[in-house]
Amino acid sequence: SSRSGSDLGVLGHLVILALLNGGLKVLDLLPQADSLSGDFATSLLNAIDGVILTLDTGVGLVNLLL
């Protein structure tokens, strides 16, 4: 009975350590996810800027031809 109690105590500590380790891994991934979303937003804005500049060039060409 005493041995099973100490075994449960050791098992409980291992479970707590495993949960803390998992929590730290999640916290480590958060900045990486934020960086990826920032990169995605930047590339999306660059693509929109490219389309706008292309349209602006097209409008300028039409105005030149008129």
Side-chain angles (χ1 to χ4, degrees):
S1 175
S2 173
R3 179 172 163 93
S4 65
S6 63
D7 288 346
L8 284 176
V10 170
L11 180 63
H13 283 96
L14 289 175
V15 168
I16 290 172
L17 288 175
L19 290 174
L20 288 175
N21 188 31
L24 290 176
K25 286 181 182 177
V26 168
L27 289 177
D28 188 41
L29 291 175
L30 288 177
Q32 294 175 9
D34 187 39
S35 172
L36 287 175
S37 67
D39 291 343
F40 177 73
T42 301
S43 63
L44 186 62
L45 287 176
N46 285 340
I48 291 171
D49 285 346
V51 169
I52 290 173
L53 288 175
T54 303
L55 291 174
D56 190 43
T57 304
V59 168
L61 184 62
V62 168
N63 284 334
L64 186 66
L65 292 174
L66 292 176

